[in-house]
Every structure is written in structure tokens, then in C-alpha cells.
Amino acid sequence: MSFYEWFFLEKGRPPAGLFSWSHLLSVTIALAIFVFLGVFLGKKHKGNPKEQRRILIVTTICILALVVMKMSFLLATSTDVANTLLENLPLFFCDMMVLMVPIAAFTKGRVQDICLDFIAICGFLMGFMGNYAAGNIFGSHPAFSYLSLISTISHSISAFAAIFVFVAGLNKMEKRNIPFVIGILVVYMSITLAVDYATGKNYMFFLGPDGTPFSIFFDLVKGNLPAYQVIIYILQCGYIGVFYLIYYPVVKAIRKRREKKAASLPADNPDKQEK
């Protein structure tokens, strides 16, 4: 058996399985690498808009390159090109980075701010949940295979983007932009739901959990699709809302602590103040 057959075509190889040791090991290593890069590059280029934009552009190129690599392989090995294209539209939650990162890289002003906030908030969920809860990927493919690695790296880049934005201080988190950040997801999900019903595909798992942890909620409503779909809306949009609810008090507490520490310096270090 050739390496191509073993690695790309996965001949004679069973799926890794969700939460198998090979699944957990591969995604943990990938996330560790990309989290480190996000922190390192974020600190290195903080306060340097030119380099920050360059990092976002490189991230855009990497994301788009992975999409091209995946689609090229799928189309090359497909006997039904039209169906392959239809089954691989960028309509999963994690696919939103294909749009959000390029827009953030090539725009300015409020549009860029909204996109950067979205990346900062949702990149964590895409990176960590997208990797660790990828039952649709690791339930169908070995951990060390072409399509699994493409998925793992793609999700890890989302985590990288979020961490880089936070560490570099690119996110504004202005309250006036909250409806737009959530609205982007609502519109995207609504388009996806319409496509699912029109094509019978299962983007964003609206028509069934497909081996993901969404099965918990699917079983909870006994397979009632409208109720299940409402839950998906609530979970994904609610995540953004909860993130904001936690973010503002934490930032406020950190700011107060710094102010208190700064106010105590004259009394504690009079000589240092005079210098």
C-alpha cells in the first residue's frame, strides 16, 4: 500500500473515534502550537498596526489555502463533482473565519472593529470546541490523515486568530457593536438553515447532530427539529452574549485593581515617585 492510499485515501484504516487518544493527542498538540504562536506574535506586534495587519493577511492566506487544499482533494477523488461542491460549502459555524478574517484584514473603521470582536469572541469556540467536539471528522476519519489534519489546522487557526487579536489589543468590544456581532451570526445561521432545507444537507447540524455533542439537545427534544434548531440558535448566539457578560466585569475588575495599585505607589514608594 502506498503512502497516498494510506494517508490520503485512508485505505484499511478505521476512524479514530470521538475522544479517542489519537483524536485528543492530535488536536491538543495543534492547539498548543497555535496558542503559543498567537500569544508570541500578539505580544511581539502589539502597538504595531502595520505588522498586525500583515499577520491578519497571512492568516487569511493560510485559511484560504486550506480551503483550496481540501476542495482540490475532494474534487479530484469525487465521482460527483456537483454533489461534492454542494456538500462542502463554507456554511458551518467554523467556516465563518473564511469571511471574517479577510474582512478584518482588508477593512478599516467600524466594520473592522466588528469583525475583530467577532474573531476574538468566536475564535475560541471554533478552535477548542471545533477540535475537541469534532465527532463528524474523527468519527469518520483516522486522526493522522489528510482530511483530519486539514480540519485540525483550520480550527486551530481560528483559536490563533482569537488569541492574537486579544493579546495584540485589536478587539474594541464596544457595546454599540454588540447587536452587529450577534447579528452577523444570526444572518449566517439563517442563510445556512435555508440552504439545509433547500438541499437536504446538514450545515451547522441543523438537521441532526451528526455525531457531535448537539446530540444531547437533539435527544432532549426527542428529535423535534424546530425545537432543536431553536436550541442551536440560542446556544451559538447565547455564547456571544455570555462572553460579553463575563468580559465587561472582568475588564472592569482588572482596571480597578490596576488603578488601586497605581494610587498606592506614592505612599508605598515616595522615593520612586520623586525620581
Side-chain angles (χ1 to χ4, degrees):
M1 182 185 298
S2 67
F3 178 76
Y4 175 78
E5 292 175 324
W6 183 84
F7 180 69
F8 289 88
L9 301 183
E10 306 168 14
K11 285 190 175 180
R13 304 175 64 197
L18 184 64
F19 303 139
S20 64
W21 70 267
S22 56
H23 164 210
L24 296 177
L25 179 63
S26 61
V27 300
T28 299
I29 290 174
L31 281 169
I33 293 171
F34 281 93
V35 166
F36 169 78
L37 286 174
V39 173
F40 174 76
L41 293 174
K43 287 183 176 180
K44 182 178 181 180
H45 300 303
K46 190 170 186 177
N48 189 336
K50 184 178 179 180
E51 289 301 320
Q52 291 168 352
R53 184 176 294 273
R54 185 173 297 175
I55 294 296
L56 290 174
I57 292 173
V58 171
T59 304
T60 295
I61 293 171
C62 291
I63 290 173
L64 296 178
L66 287 169
V67 172
V68 171
M69 290 168 63
K70 175 185 174 181
M71 290 306 302
S72 297
F73 172 74
L74 291 175
L75 291 173
T77 56
S78 174
T79 56
D80 187 344
V81 172
N83 189 59
T84 298
L85 288 171
L86 195 59
E87 287 183 340
N88 291 279
L89 298 173
L91 291 175
F92 283 107
F93 177 68
C94 299
D95 290 327
M96 293 185 72
M97 284 298 187
V98 176
L99 298 176
M100 302 308 294
V101 175
I103 294 173
F106 294 105
T107 60
K108 295 181 180 180
R110 192 173 180 186
V111 171
Q112 184 184 53
D113 292 343
I114 292 169
C115 291
L116 288 171
D117 286 355
F118 185 92
I119 292 169
I121 295 170
C122 294
F124 287 105
L125 186 63
M126 294 173 179
F128 287 87
M129 288 299 293
N131 267 328
Y132 285 110
N136 58 318
I137 297 298
F138 292 96
S140 304
H141 305 281
F144 187 69
S145 63
Y146 185 75
L147 292 176
S148 290
L149 287 180
I150 290 287
S151 173
T152 298
I153 294 171
S154 297
H155 288 105
S156 298
I157 287 178
S158 295
F160 161 81
I163 292 168
F164 173 75
V165 168
F166 260 110
V167 175
L170 292 174
N171 56 305
K172 299 290 181 64
M173 296 297 185
E174 294 180 346
K175 292 182 179 180
R176 66 173 184 157
N177 288 335
I178 293 177
F180 296 97
V181 175
I182 297 176
I184 289 170
L185 181 55
V186 171
V187 171
Y188 201 88
M189 292 177 73
S190 299
I191 293 172
T192 300
L193 182 59
V195 171
D196 282 352
Y197 273 112
T199 64
K201 303 305 177 184
N202 193 25
Y203 291 109
M204 281 200 184
F205 310 108
F206 273 125
L207 301 185
D210 197 17
T212 67
F214 281 134
S215 59
I216 297 171
F217 304 98
F218 189 79
D219 294 339
L220 185 67
V221 297
K222 303 184 186 308
N224 183 298
L225 271 183
Y228 167 70
Q229 290 159 359
V230 168
I231 289 174
I232 292 180
Y233 268 92
I234 292 172
L235 287 173
Q236 296 191 158
C237 296
Y239 164 77
I240 297 178
V242 170
F243 194 101
Y244 277 114
L245 287 174
I246 295 173
Y247 175 82
Y248 290 121
V250 168
V251 170
K252 185 177 181 180
I254 292 173
R255 186 181 296 115
K256 283 186 175 180
R257 185 176 179 182
R258 288 175 176 173
E259 290 174 352
K260 185 177 180 180
K261 185 176 180 180
S264 67
L265 287 177
D268 296 340
N269 302 284
D271 295 334
K272 186 175 180 180
Q273 185 188 30
E274 290 175 6
K275 291 179 182 179

